[in-house]
Amino acid sequence: MNFFANPLMPTQARPSASQEDATASVSDAMASLFDPFGFGRAAFDYWRDSVERSVLYLDVMRERGNQYLAHMEQTKPSVLGFETEVLVDGRTLPQPTNYELLRVIPPKGVETDPLSRPFVVVDPRAGHGPGIGGFKPDSELGVALRAGHPCYFIGFLPFPEPGQTVEDVVESEVAFLRHVIERHPETTEKPMVVGNCQAGWQLMMAAALEPDVFGPILIAGAPLSYWAGEHGKAPMRYTGGMTGGSWVTALTSDLGNGLFDGAWLVQNFERLNPANTYWKKQYHLFANVDTESNRYLEFERWWGGHVVLGGEEIQYIVDNLFVGNRLSTAQLVTRDGRRIDLRNVRSPVVVFCSRGDDITPPPQALGWIRDLYEDENDIIANEQTIVYCQHDTTGHLGIFVSSSVSRKEHTEFTANMDYIDVMPPGLYETTITHADDHDEGELIERDYLLEFTPRDFDELDREVMHKPEDDRRFATVARISEINLGLYRLYMQPWLQAVMTPEAARLIRRMHPIRLGYKLLSDRNPMTVPLPVMADRIRLSRHPVGEDNLFKAVETMTSDQIVTGLNAFRDARDSATERLFMDIYGQPLLQAAVGLYGDAHVHRRRPGAEPEHRRFIEQRQEELRAKIAKGGSHEAVMRALIYILGGAPATDERNFKRLRASRAALEPNAKLCDFKRLVREQFFILKLDREQALNALPALLKGQSNDEIDAHMSHLEDVLSASGELSEHVASRLTQVGELFDQARPAVQQQVASSPQAPQQAAKDVAEKPAAKPATASTKKATPAKRKTPPEGE
């Protein structure tokens, strides 16, 4: 190695190759003589590499600062990675907002079908700018475009409209969806809508007020139940209590002259993980500066795109969601008197969360289900389908940013939305497995398979971990917050609003520590002038060292120790915060002082127990009871299929694929909405009175020929076999349904079926069916003897 070579020497002044080789050999000989163990060479190589990395790192930070300034100067800053056109500007609506509806133009080589279900992504407005849902090709929008869906994006501008409220934003989103529906008059299915983080609870509010404009809803990382959480985790839920409530939000908005700087929200996120914020993320760039700069800058373009919220908006959010937790208990009422009750949502809801998310952990994403419903039967009674999926490791941003999550979870959600849309009401958990782990490969169109397993509230409680004593603590925080906010508005706010000016507010925003971190390392700082020249020279002759370098290994170990120390600090801080919160707000004297000690419901009432809701359920049951014996073969087949699948532990898209194909053959003109109504109605009839519903099957098939009844049984076997071998329980139910279908056969066939050899012949027929019908093998293996209707709950 040539210790004397100068990487900054002009090319024409450098020695020839032969001269360099001779010099190198002399240098190596001298180095071996004076440094036999190589420590000096390793030290010099590491020193040179670290100096070069330092210059390159600072140059990347300079580029980050320039990128930030250019991004913030744009009228419509966005990191959306697709070309779009504006369809509706929210500033032109009756109640103006800073939101807009964009049509996503498919990239070259991607074709969309205008008859497919529209796909709409709503971006979160939680301090950052828009575009994260379409950040890169492997994103929510990218997945939907490749699946052939017409795609739309609801984004926003950096500054809110004067007087803009959360209700105005919700109404804007409803107006946007109506416009999307008008653009696709030939599509019978309503748009599938995706809400990330903060956009998730906004969408749920909109769907509760206007359920008719929503198709399936996917909410990713959305905190709908902010009081929920597991002890030792999710420390962010204690923030409101440790600051004395939402008066701090009002103070921050007043310092902004009525505007709330989103950089404060970003700072709260960063404080959750100091090791990543203050060291790990930056060190990863420093250690891999030759390869990581582009990825780092691309992400920082969104992470540093701070926007501003209206003071009234953020106050509503903090008071009603983060501190008050009023959305998940149906306590919110709009200005025109409409109650926002999430039980009014008619669309299937898919909740996607992650155990690795410290901003919206699973209890906060799923707790609203327990807040609203008494049990899984209450969900069914409300004709609601709720599906939840939990990732094991990804963080909050990874839920809607990670490429691996998009290629797996979001691809499966998008592909299975029609299936989810017709699933019977209830609570389900999804699991995603690799296609190679299953038979029936020809029925699996992608690399993964999405399976649905019914869940009950005991299983849900293991994720939510609801604790009534914690509810009283958080309710105490909400009361104290109201008191402190009132005192602030009475004594401090008038004075502060009188002295704050728009110019002073802009200066305060510019001096925010996070914003300064970007600006100070940019071309506006004259000390950065030599950085690009030095970085270019270093890139021409870079001298990286390998991981086997002793000093590089020490650097890596030192970095790991710093991360461990910062994590230990975080854990100690979070543990002390939680303990202090529990001790303060668990005091009976404090709870009694705000009128909550001994209060059983402490603001978390369950709306499902109200008398008017019970009357609605009773009325619905009477309507369904009158339809038990009404209908024809379609009702009979669907009722039989739901009954048989009710004995299966799980179902997946293979069943739906075969059911959809057979439905197209049996009912060519049937619409998906009619099919969905049929499925749900027959499900409720079975749930209401299963024995009477099954006994009515022969009456529904009355007048059918033997060939038609055989076709119906073949249809059932084909659908059921799609998920592989039938369990004994499912096969038993299939046999029972076959016997009920036989009762509807013409008289001659009934005589044959009633002969002593009929059951054995039927089993033989099933066993001898051709291999094209996979049900035959499984039915042969698990065909039980004739038995009566299983008892309820089996």
Side-chain angles (χ1 to χ4, degrees):
M1 181 176 293
N2 186 358
F3 290 95
F4 308 103
N6 184 359
L8 303 183
M9 181 184 296
T11 305
Q12 61 272 23
R14 293 180 183 175
S16 64
S18 58
Q19 291 174 327
E20 286 186 347
D21 292 340
T23 304
S25 59
V26 172
S27 300
D28 291 341
M30 293 178 63
S32 300
L33 179 63
F34 294 103
D35 185 23
F37 298 104
F39 288 112
R41 282 172 290 178
F44 179 82
D45 291 345
Y46 172 76
W47 171 81
R48 180 171 56 184
D49 172 62
S50 61
V51 170
E52 291 176 350
R53 281 188 289 145
S54 299
V55 174
L56 294 176
Y57 171 82
L58 289 173
D59 189 57
V60 172
M61 302 305 288
R62 178 190 63 84
E63 291 183 43
R64 184 189 74 152
N66 293 340
Q67 176 181 271
Y68 170 81
L69 294 172
H71 187 76
M72 297 305 294
E73 289 172 358
Q74 295 177 13
T75 306
K76 297 182 179 181
S78 176
V79 296
L80 196 62
F82 298 91
E83 186 179 352
T84 61
E85 63 171 329
V86 179
L87 297 180
V88 182
D89 190 334
R91 293 172 295 183
T92 64
L93 297 175
Q95 296 292 334
T97 63
N98 65 331
Y99 280 70
E100 55 187 9
L101 173 66
L102 309 174
R103 182 180 79 88
V104 180
I105 300 174
K108 283 186 177 182
V110 176
E111 298 290 336
T112 59
D113 182 2
L115 298 181
S116 294
R117 185 193 297 272
F119 189 95
V120 183
V121 173
V122 186
D123 244 19
R125 185 161 157 255
H128 306 93
I132 198 65
F135 188 47
K136 44 193 172 184
D138 285 327
S139 61
E140 294 163 334
L141 281 177
V143 165
L145 285 169
R146 289 194 296 272
H149 294 275
C151 290
Y152 300 86
F153 185 81
I154 298 178
F156 48 87
L157 302 176
F159 289 87
E161 290 296 292
Q164 176 178 312
T165 66
V166 171
E167 291 183 26
D168 294 336
V169 173
V170 169
E171 294 294 340
S172 295
E173 292 172 353
V174 171
F176 294 155
L177 288 175
R178 292 191 188 280
H179 185 82
V180 170
I181 294 172
E182 291 172 1
R183 288 179 56 88
H184 299 270
E186 298 179 359
T187 303
T188 57
E189 291 85 21
K190 297 294 191 300
M192 173 184 170
V193 190
V194 179
N196 296 319
C197 188
Q198 172 263 1
W201 55 258
Q202 276 188 358
L203 281 180
M204 292 295 283
M205 290 174 65
L209 294 173
E210 300 290 344
D212 294 337
V213 302
F214 284 83
I217 300 171
L218 169 61
I219 52 176
L224 271 73
S225 186
Y226 210 76
W227 289 2
E230 178 183 359
H231 287 186
K233 296 183 179 180
M236 203 172 195
R237 65 179 181 146
Y238 305 123
T239 303
M242 300 312 295
T243 58
S246 67
W247 72 273
V248 178
T249 306
L251 172 64
T252 307
S253 299
D254 290 336
L255 289 173
N257 195 41
L259 298 176
F260 184 92
D261 187 3
W264 292 109
L265 298 177
V266 178
Q267 188 178 68
N268 286 340
F269 299 152
E270 291 187 338
R271 285 175 175 170
L272 287 175
N273 193 348
N276 184 69
T277 299
Y278 302 120
W279 181 260
K280 193 175 180 180
K281 181 173 70 172
Q282 305 302 329
Y283 174 73
H284 182 72
L285 172 64
F286 174 74
N288 304 277
V289 70
D290 299 300
T291 58
E292 284 292 305
S293 59
N294 290 334
R295 186 202 61 82
Y296 179 86
L297 289 172
E298 186 66 20
F299 177 77
E300 285 293 313
R301 192 162 65 94
W302 174 75
W303 187 253
H306 309 121
V307 297
V308 175
L309 291 81
E312 189 174 349
E313 286 181 282
I314 191 66
Q315 196 67 44
Y316 180 97
I317 293 169
V318 174
D319 284 339
N320 292 304
L321 277 87
F322 297 161
V323 174
N325 198 52
R326 297 188 179 101
L327 177 61
S328 67
T329 51
Q331 296 182 68
L332 289 181
V333 179
T334 64
R335 54 180 170 246
D336 57 358
R338 293 179 293 169
R339 182 173 295 278
I340 301 176
D341 188 344
L342 298 185
R343 294 175 305 160
N344 294 333
V345 177
R346 298 294 91 195
S347 305
V349 178
V350 179
V351 182
F352 183 32
C353 54
S354 173
R355 296 183 179 92
D357 185 354
D358 56 354
I359 294 177
T360 306
Q364 293 186 9
L366 300 172
W368 64 277
I369 304 172
R370 202 186 186 287
D371 290 348
L372 280 176
Y373 302 102
E374 293 182 349
D375 52 32
E376 62 275 10
N377 291 323
D378 198 15
I379 296 176
I380 294 172
N382 279 276
E383 303 184 24
Q384 180 59 272
T385 302
I386 302 174
V387 179
Y388 65 92
C389 178
Q390 298 185 86
H391 197 281
D392 289 329
T393 57
T394 191
H396 182 69
L397 294 178
I399 292 175
F400 39 88
V401 170
S402 170
S403 296
S404 61
V405 171
S406 294
R407 288 192 295 266
K408 186 177 179 182
E409 280 81 3
H410 284 291
T411 297
E412 290 303 310
F413 294 146
T414 302
N416 285 278
M417 271 304 162
D418 282 346
Y419 183 23
I420 294 171
D421 204 10
V422 300
M423 285 181 66
L427 179 66
Y428 304 87
E429 182 178 10
T430 66
T431 54
I432 300 178
T433 54
H434 202 278
D436 294 341
D437 299 334
H438 301 271
D439 298 329
E440 300 292 328
E442 74 279 2
L443 294 174
I444 304 176
E445 300 174 349
R446 296 164 307 281
D447 294 334
Y448 298 95
L449 181 69
L450 192 65
E451 297 180 279
F452 301 85
T453 305
R455 295 300 187 201
D456 56 34
F457 266 41
D458 289 336
E459 294 166 312
L460 179 67
D461 278 343
R462 288 198 285 269
E463 304 297 340
V464 176
M465 292 167 283
H466 175 243
K467 298 177 178 59
E469 61 273 16
D470 283 357
D471 287 351
R472 185 171 288 105
R473 290 185 173 97
F474 283 102
T476 303
V477 172
R479 290 279 179 89
I480 291 177
S481 176
E482 293 170 357
I483 294 170
N484 289 341
L485 180 60
L487 292 172
Y488 169 79
R489 285 174 170 168
L490 179 64
Y491 293 109
M492 283 190 64
Q493 191 175 61
W495 295 97
L496 193 57
Q497 289 180 344
V499 300
M500 283 304 301
T501 63
E503 291 76 15
R506 279 194 294 270
L507 179 62
I508 291 175
R509 282 197 296 272
R510 290 171 181 169
M511 296 300 292
H512 191 284
I514 288 183
R515 294 180 185 270
L516 282 177
Y518 288 90
K519 294 177 183 177
L520 291 178
L521 278 173
S522 69
D523 285 344
R524 294 187 183 180
N525 185 344
M527 296 185 68
T528 64
V529 171
L531 277 178
V533 179
M534 296 169 63
D536 288 342
R537 288 297 181 92
I538 287 173
R539 292 187 185 100
L540 289 175
S541 181
R542 179 80 169 89
H543 300 86
V545 297
E547 295 297 325
D548 57 346
N549 183 283
L550 172 64
F551 297 94
K552 182 65 181 296
V554 171
E555 175 192 292
T556 303
M557 289 188 291
T558 303
S559 174
D560 292 341
Q561 290 299 315
I562 293 173
V563 170
T564 301
L566 288 172
N567 285 337
F569 161 75
R570 177 202 61 197
D571 295 341
R573 178 200 64 188
D574 294 346
S575 176
T577 300
E578 181 178 71
R579 188 164 55 249
L580 189 60
F581 178 93
M582 295 297 174
D583 290 344
I584 293 175
Y585 292 102
Q587 290 294 326
L589 181 60
L590 180 61
Q591 294 174 357
V594 296
L596 288 177
Y597 188 72
D599 193 344
H601 66 269
V602 293
H603 281 199
R604 193 181 277 231
R605 64 188 182 91
R606 182 168 284 117
E610 295 177 351
E612 57 269 24
H613 175 67
R614 296 298 183 198
R615 288 194 295 270
F616 166 77
I617 297 300
E618 292 171 2
Q619 180 182 357
R620 177 64 174 153
Q621 288 176 346
E622 292 301 321
E623 294 174 357
L624 290 172
R625 190 170 279 111
K627 294 182 178 181
I628 289 179
K630 292 183 179 180
S633 60
H634 298 327
E635 285 76 8
V637 171
M638 184 53 61
R639 188 178 302 179
L641 181 63
I642 294 173
Y643 167 67
I644 296 170
L645 285 177
T651 182
D652 59 54
E653 63 181 279
R654 292 173 291 179
N655 288 331
F656 178 66
K657 184 178 179 182
R658 279 195 167 163
L659 181 61
R660 181 174 54 187
S662 56
R663 179 178 65 89
L666 297 173
E667 304 176 74
N669 298 322
K671 297 179 180 178
L672 184 62
C673 56
D674 297 330
F675 182 58
K676 178 179 178 180
R677 177 196 54 76
L678 175 65
V679 171
R680 287 176 173 260
E681 191 170 85
Q682 296 308 311
F683 174 82
F684 282 121
I685 287 174
L686 277 167
K687 192 73 178 177
L688 181 64
D689 193 334
R690 186 169 66 179
E691 185 171 357
Q692 187 177 350
L694 291 175
N695 292 334
L697 287 177
L700 296 178
L701 293 170
K702 187 176 181 181
Q704 296 276 296
S705 67
N706 291 331
D707 290 342
E708 289 173 328
I709 293 177
D710 289 339
H712 297 327
M713 286 302 300
S714 177
H715 174 198
L716 291 173
E717 294 168 7
D718 198 37
V719 171
L720 293 169
S721 67
S723 294
E725 183 175 331
L726 303 186
S727 67
E728 181 177 353
H729 196 56
V730 171
S732 173
R733 291 192 173 197
L734 177 60
T735 301
Q736 181 189 0
V737 166
E739 294 168 353
L740 291 169
F741 276 36
D742 284 343
Q743 295 178 22
R745 295 180 182 273
V748 175
Q749 178 66 21
Q750 286 184 3
Q751 291 177 4
V752 175
S754 63
S755 65
Q757 294 80 15
Q760 292 82 354
Q761 183 63 37
K764 182 179 180 182
D765 291 342
V766 170
E768 294 177 353
K769 282 183 179 287
K773 295 185 181 280
T776 55
S778 56
T779 307
K780 179 181 177 183
K781 292 181 181 178
T783 302
K786 176 179 177 182
R787 67 186 183 94
K788 297 182 181 179
T789 303
E792 286 291 338
E794 181 173 350

